[in-house]
Amino acid sequence: MTDDPLDTDAAFSLLADETRVRILEELGAATASPETGIPRLSYADLKSRVGVRDSGRFNYHLTKLVGNYVAKEDEGYRLRWPGLVLYRTIVAGHLTDEVEPAVDRFAVGTDCHRCGDSLEAHSYETLFRVRCRACDATYTDVYVPTHGLVDRDQAGILAAVHRRSRTILDSMVSGQCPWCARDVTPEIHERDGSLPSLHDARDLDPYAVYHCTDCTGFQYVPVSRCLLYHPATVAFYHDHGLDLTEIPAWELPWAVTDDATTVLASDPWRFRVRIELEDEAFVAELNDDLEVVDTTREPIRTPSDGGE
């Protein structure tokens, strides 16, 4: 095993041959296999699985991978951590994906919070979207590997998209890029023309941007969206018999619009978000870092009990 760091050019050059890719795939498949559960393969077994008869050729390509992507041990060969990451990337289709088969448009069962028309879900190039065709409001726009969408019905697809979107944004709101693990912090943007996505006509002003300047990871959301992941909001829903983590954002008007958000100040920014369930309201105040600085619950007053 080499102790020298592997630069980017060298890392990619090691994958320039189909045999090396097959070695990684077979070691990865053995690691993931529920039949064996054994992450190491003997030389003979690995050579047989890869399907290369020429021992010299096989040895040459295997040696190129050992030390960087593959570990050689007494029990056999296994993937090192970089090899596992690469194998997972291959399985997910990150490097080759064009979202095949494409997911045709279908109704998600929720009306647009902007115009009242029916929301539809569909794949677009490498992205999966939940949006309104009538007014162009986009409520979810997220990359979901095709591997996570195959062999699912429409309900299963929506569940996968919801979990993917929630995972990515939960990481961003927590302050860590979900792709490269670097720190990210929210920036508040006032509306000046269109939103960052030209395919989104929502009336968000202001809105929050999470941008990783290292790997270009990027998300923009309504200011209120950060409350989806706060324990006080989750507890509020739980107390009303609902699991907030299981509800797609596009079903929550307060999370995908700014209708429930009041701007209290702009220098520095301060916001109030009011979420209503049944006869109770949850009210949170956020600072310019979108940190929750205060939460309260209050009854919803109606005209019959003296409310306006």
Side-chain angles (χ1 to χ4, degrees):
M1 179 182 295
T2 179
D3 293 327
D4 296 330
L6 187 65
D7 62 40
T8 303
D9 290 342
F12 281 106
S13 69
L14 289 179
L15 305 176
D17 186 272
E18 181 182 355
T19 300
R20 298 175 202 171
V21 176
R22 290 284 298 135
I23 290 172
L24 292 174
E25 288 178 331
E26 290 303 328
L27 286 173
T31 302
S33 171
E35 287 79 18
T36 62
I38 301 173
R40 297 168 181 81
L41 293 178
S42 68
Y43 173 89
D45 192 6
L46 179 57
K47 182 172 178 290
S48 175
R49 290 177 181 232
V50 173
V52 176
R53 294 184 178 181
D54 186 331
S55 296
R57 177 184 165 208
F58 179 75
N59 290 340
Y60 172 78
H61 291 299
L62 178 59
T63 301
K64 288 290 185 180
L65 295 174
V66 169
N68 296 304
Y69 294 121
V70 174
K72 180 181 179 181
E73 300 175 346
D74 291 342
E75 299 88 349
Y77 295 87
R78 65 170 177 83
L79 288 181
R80 297 184 65 234
W81 180 251
L84 282 169
V85 172
L86 185 58
Y87 174 71
R88 292 166 184 167
T89 300
I90 293 171
V91 170
H94 289 310
L95 302 179
T96 59
D97 227 9
E98 290 298 336
V99 189
E100 292 292 343
V103 178
D104 294 330
R105 295 179 184 274
F106 64 91
V108 303
T110 302
D111 291 337
C112 176
H113 308 296
R114 185 169 183 260
C115 74
D117 209 354
S118 178
L119 294 183
E120 295 181 339
H122 70 103
S123 59
Y124 174 79
E125 295 182 351
T126 59
L127 299 173
F128 197 94
R129 289 178 170 162
V130 176
R131 67 192 307 267
C132 175
R133 294 182 72 183
C135 74
D136 290 333
T138 299
Y139 298 104
T140 293
D141 194 8
V142 63
Y143 173 69
V144 182
T146 301
H147 191 74
L149 299 179
V150 296
D151 300 325
R152 294 183 186 268
D153 59 15
Q154 292 178 353
I157 288 174
L158 291 178
V161 171
H162 159 62
R163 288 193 295 267
R164 180 73 172 181
S165 179
R166 185 175 179 88
T167 297
I168 290 173
L169 279 169
D170 188 8
S171 182
M172 284 288 199
V173 170
S174 298
Q176 184 179 72
C177 175
W179 295 283
C180 77
R182 292 291 286 180
D183 291 345
V184 292
T185 55
E187 298 177 357
I188 307 302
H189 287 233
E190 292 185 88
R191 182 69 173 264
D192 182 16
S194 62
L195 293 171
S197 172
L198 299 179
H199 302 280
D200 188 359
R202 282 181 296 171
D203 307 305
L204 303 181
D205 188 19
Y207 57 91
V209 168
Y210 294 88
H211 181 207
C212 177
T213 57
D214 282 27
C215 77
T216 75
F218 182 90
Q219 293 285 311
Y220 72 94
V221 292
V223 167
S224 55
R225 185 72 172 261
C226 66
L227 289 175
L228 268 178
Y229 317 101
H230 195 276
T233 322
V234 174
F236 176 60
Y237 270 75
H238 180 269
D239 290 346
H240 286 265
L242 298 170
D243 184 352
L244 181 58
T245 66
E246 293 296 321
I247 304 175
W250 58 81
E251 294 182 7
L252 300 166
W254 63 265
V256 292
T257 73
D258 56 12
D259 294 346
T261 302
T262 301
V263 178
L264 302 177
S266 59
D267 187 19
W269 289 101
R270 193 154 178 118
F271 307 94
R272 178 186 294 122
V273 180
R274 179 183 174 89
I275 304 169
E276 297 185 354
L277 283 177
E278 299 173 338
D279 59 352
E280 188 178 29
F282 170 77
V283 182
E285 289 196 12
L286 314 174
N287 63 17
D288 57 348
D289 291 323
L290 296 187
E291 297 170 330
V292 177
V293 295
D294 186 47
T295 64
T296 59
R297 294 192 191 186
E298 56 191 40
I300 297 175
R301 303 189 67 186
T302 64
S304 62
D305 55 28
E308 296 183 359

